[in-house]
Amino acid sequence: MEKGLSGLRGRDFELSDVFYFSKKGLEAIVEDEVTQRFSSEELVSWNLLTRTNVNFQYISPRLTVVWVLGVLVRYCILLPLRVTLAFIGIGLLVMGTTLVGQLPESSLKNWLSELVHLTCCRICVRALSGTIHYHNKQYKPQKGGICVANHTSPIDVLILTMDGCYAMVGQVHGGLLGIIQRAMVKACPHVWFERSEMKDRHLVTQRLREHIADKKKLPILIFPEGTCINNTSVMMFKKGSFEIGGTIHPVAIKYNPQFGDAFWNSSKYNMVSYLLRMMTSWAIVCDVWYMPPMTREKGEDAVQFANRVKSAIAVQGGLTELPWAAASALPSEYNRMASREELKQEGCTHVFGNLRREVGHATSTCIC
């Protein structure tokens, strides 16, 4: 800002000088603590990926040579291997769950379902060169409980399922993810619902209560934020998961963005584009912390319980705790923006256009 102000000093004030301050003010409004949680985390140092070099202006010839070598390794060697593994993993998952789903309900079906899920998820994580560190395994979610975790990406499910199976609860998707969802539900009692359908929400609550009443069933996996956040913070947990009773098993997930950005900006990338970006990164490195089970205390309502669980996850994962609800924190105009930079540009253009029209009108009036 000092550099910009230096150009304004030493001369008479002009009406156009207000543009500079208007621009800075608009950027400050846009870059609040909420909107920046819906764009990729900014890195301290460049990780040799073109998609993350926006803030790094000077790149030496030597660093350019290293970057070119990295591109050749990532796209010519790693990408074909990863795509092959992904096709194998997803293909086996769809075929395996479809076949297992034809069996009658029995302990054999449950065992085969868990085997298919574990095996295929581990193959898919290998397709991303995933390196996962699990901590405090003595607190792993138990059957009949509810596992809640912060949400960054659809691969959160793969990360957790690598170490144990879950019955999942989530929104219905289309495309590739929808195909996988429809296949998985045939072999395991996952719950997929339309968020806009009120009757679906009541049905989900009823099925969750029935599920946790049976201590032989897999733990339920829920992401109470309701949408993906860029892994720098935890936003408000929806209270529905905490109203049905049962034991809550909190899990904190923290990705290392230096090797690859796991955040899914669904307004900008579809599932296939997102997976391609993941497969052309260096690796997916993350830590998973299982935490001691928590239950609702006497006199504590669902909102207070949800906030207590959220605070525990934020502290364990080193994340910023925010009081905003992810679904309502941004107006619809913000959700449609592909990135914060595009929002800045559109906002600045709009404001400057209005200012220029006002200045032009005022000038013409004075002349007349």
Side-chain angles (χ1 to χ4, degrees), residues 86-101:
F87 271 111
I88 293 173
I90 294 175
L92 288 177
L93 179 63
V94 172
M95 290 188 295
T97 51
T98 301
L99 292 175
V100 172

Side-chain angles (χ1 to χ4, degrees), residues 55-66:
N55 296 323
F56 304 99
Q57 304 297 330
Y58 176 73
I59 301 177
S60 66
R62 183 179 301 177
L63 191 57
T64 302
V65 172
V66 175

Side-chain angles (χ1 to χ4, degrees), residues 36-339:
Q36 59 184 302
R37 311 300 173 179
F38 295 90
S39 58
S40 297
E41 181 180 357
E42 294 181 358
L43 301 178
V44 177
S45 59
W46 189 36
N47 60 359
L48 298 178
L49 298 178
T50 307
R51 68 202 69 157
T52 59
N53 71 346
V54 176
N55 296 323
F56 304 99
Q57 304 297 330
Y58 176 73
I59 301 177
S60 66
R62 183 179 301 177
L63 191 57
T64 302
V65 172
V66 175
W67 171 77
V68 170
L69 292 176
V71 169
L72 294 176
V73 170
R74 289 187 292 114
Y75 282 86
C76 299
I77 299 177
L78 295 180
L79 181 59
L81 294 175
R82 290 170 175 175
V83 170
T84 302
L85 281 176
F87 271 111
I88 293 173
I90 294 175
L92 288 177
L93 179 63
V94 172
M95 290 188 295
T97 51
T98 301
L99 292 175
V100 172
Q102 307 305 315
L103 300 176
E105 292 295 332
S106 63
S107 57
L108 174 62
K109 178 180 179 180
N110 294 335
W111 179 79
L112 288 174
S113 175
E114 291 185 25
L115 179 64
V116 169
H117 279 82
L118 283 172
T119 303
C120 296
C121 285
R122 288 171 179 172
I123 293 174
C124 290
V125 172
R126 294 292 180 266
L128 302 173
S129 298
T131 302
I132 320 301
H133 305 284
Y134 298 95
H135 308 273
N136 306 325
K137 285 196 172 187
Q138 68 272 24
Y139 297 130
K140 280 180 61 174
Q142 302 299 313
K143 291 186 176 182
I146 301 174
C147 173
V148 298
N150 56 301
H151 197 25
T152 302
S153 160
I155 70 166
D156 294 340
V157 173
L158 299 178
I159 299 300
L160 294 176
T161 307
M162 267 193 67
D163 199 41
C165 285
Y166 298 87
M168 302 169 201
V169 178
Q171 185 176 354
V172 173
H173 291 273
L176 176 62
L177 193 54
I179 295 174
I180 297 173
Q181 284 183 321
R182 290 190 291 272
M184 291 172 61
V185 77
K186 295 177 182 178
C188 188
H190 303 299
V191 181
W192 311 126
F193 63 94
E194 286 288 356
R195 198 181 303 277
S196 59
E197 293 290 337
M198 186 60 68
K199 63 179 181 180
D200 278 11
R201 296 171 64 179
H202 292 309
L203 180 62
V204 168
T205 302
Q206 179 183 348
R207 290 189 61 182
L208 290 180
R209 286 199 172 99
E210 295 173 354
H211 191 102
I212 64 174
D214 188 346
K215 300 304 178 183
K216 295 182 180 179
K217 289 188 176 180
L218 294 172
I220 299 172
L221 176 59
I222 301 176
F223 300 106
E225 289 170 298
T227 190
C228 296
I229 311 298
N230 70 357
N231 208 227
T232 61
S233 60
V234 181
M235 302 193 81
M236 184 183 293
F237 282 4
K238 298 180 184 302
K239 66 177 183 177
S241 310
F242 303 88
E243 290 178 324
I244 60 178
T247 303
I248 299 294
H249 299 269
V251 176
I253 305 174
K254 179 63 177 175
Y255 292 90
N256 187 338
Q258 200 63 45
F259 296 93
D261 182 19
F263 170 61
W264 182 32
N265 187 344
S266 57
S267 66
K268 190 174 181 180
Y269 303 105
N270 59 30
M271 178 55 63
V272 175
S273 299
Y274 167 73
L275 290 177
L276 181 61
R277 286 170 62 87
M278 298 277 282
M279 290 181 184
T280 54
S281 298
W282 294 109
I284 299 300
V285 180
C286 84
D287 289 274
V288 175
W289 289 274
Y290 298 115
M291 301 167 62
M294 303 173 70
T295 55
R296 192 165 162 180
E297 297 178 349
K298 185 177 181 180
E300 188 178 45
D301 61 26
V303 174
Q304 293 171 331
F305 185 27
N307 289 335
R308 184 159 60 91
V309 174
K310 181 187 72 168
S311 298
I313 291 176
V315 171
Q316 180 64 79
L319 305 169
T320 302
E321 183 182 357
L322 296 177
W324 310 102
S328 60
L330 295 176
S332 58
E333 290 82 9
Y334 280 58
N335 288 327
R336 287 195 293 266
M337 292 301 172
S339 67

